[in-house]
Amino acid sequence: MELHRVVVTGLGALTPVGNSAKETWENLKNGVSGAGPITHFDHTKFKTHFACEVKNFNATDYMDRKLARKMDLYAQYAIAAAAEAVKDSGMDLETVDKDEIGVILGVGIGGIHTFESEVAYYAQHEEDGPKYSPFFIPKMIGDIAAGQIAINYGFHGPNYITTSACASSTNALADAFNLLRLGKANAILTGGAEAGVWPAGVGGFNAMHALSTRNDDPEHASRPFSASRDGFVMGEGAGCMMLETLEHALARGARIYCEVAGVGMSADAYHITASHPEGLGARLVMERALKDAGMKPEEVDYINVHGTSTPVGDISEVKAVKDLFGEHAYKLNISSTKSMTGHLLGAAGAVEAMACVMAVVEDIVPPTINHEEGDEDPEIDYNLNFTFNKAQKRIVRVALSNTFGFGGHNACCIVKKYE
């Protein structure tokens, strides 16, 4: 069976460093941190007082007020990113066959704010009996973002979400890619969204000792691969990409950013939250993505690593890269854009895949910020090029993006220059 080639034709983003794909990419190249004091709730009694929040977001810029009230913030973010990606694709919605266009998103937590507020309201009025909003369930459930986007545009193709913690949106991208190359649709809007910066989210991760507590210096708290890293910085937002079969894109004269070359998936099968200490699952997922793409390790120019700024995770991923790529590992550029965006959880893979797309388009590798001289971890090999603190120009023909999630879920995608 001949497989279809799959290309990227539209980008949309709403992140802690930009309210569009273009603004996000410019700030990633320039090493801008999105971290600051939490504004969504009173953080004073929490261990962590900061996060990477989306700034100056107004839902009514993307939908009417009545609809916005029926949607959790994560779904509002998804609608915003989707709107930009659809517009950026240049797709004429009056002429395309909407029966052949799908929506597949990754969501890690979903409507946590809705769940938290509704349960809290019931607890305060328990003596009067249940008093839940009729929109409680449709606002809370994770799949509703994909459903709302399909309703908005009339897309009748495959429609669902993937949930694999922080690997969710890379899994969504992988599913979209596989369905397209099998000819199950002409185009699929894919990506992810998350809005977990709420008391339950921050408090839950604090209880696990997963978050940084560098409260006196939030902008420098996310510092992957540095010895003083003390946990990840929570982020929020959304990223969407329009993927199309090459035939469909060419037939409508679309502008093509790059080609999706391959995807990989694996499981650590080791621990509910910790990565395998030797990076076995991480190595396997990259190996599978390369095999799927028909590529050799030495063809990769740039890896956007999972790189969360956690003590164990950063080390295991470095081990995986060195083990798989061998001597070529020292010719790669490696960077963690989480040093700027924070960890967008279920949306992380989508935003980081977009960074890989733009690295391929512009031949620029965004940096890993916040590394200081003298802050070296003896377990990390600094002969590797972590692209510390400043973007680097180089030819990027092939870029690889890693995302790993609680439960041992690993997902990887590879993009390459379109030829």
Side-chain angles (χ1 to χ4, degrees), residues 1-4 178-184:
M1 179 181 179
E2 185 176 353
L3 298 177
H4 298 270
N178 283 326
L179 288 174
L180 287 168
R181 63 177 171 175
L182 289 171
K184 303 297 184 182

Side-chain angles (χ1 to χ4, degrees), residues 38 41 43 46-51 202 206 211-213 215:
I38 291 170
F41 65 91
H43 56 74
F46 288 74
K47 293 179 182 177
T48 296
H49 300 168
F50 61 94
V202 174
N206 268 158
L211 296 182
S212 171
T213 55
N215 294 316

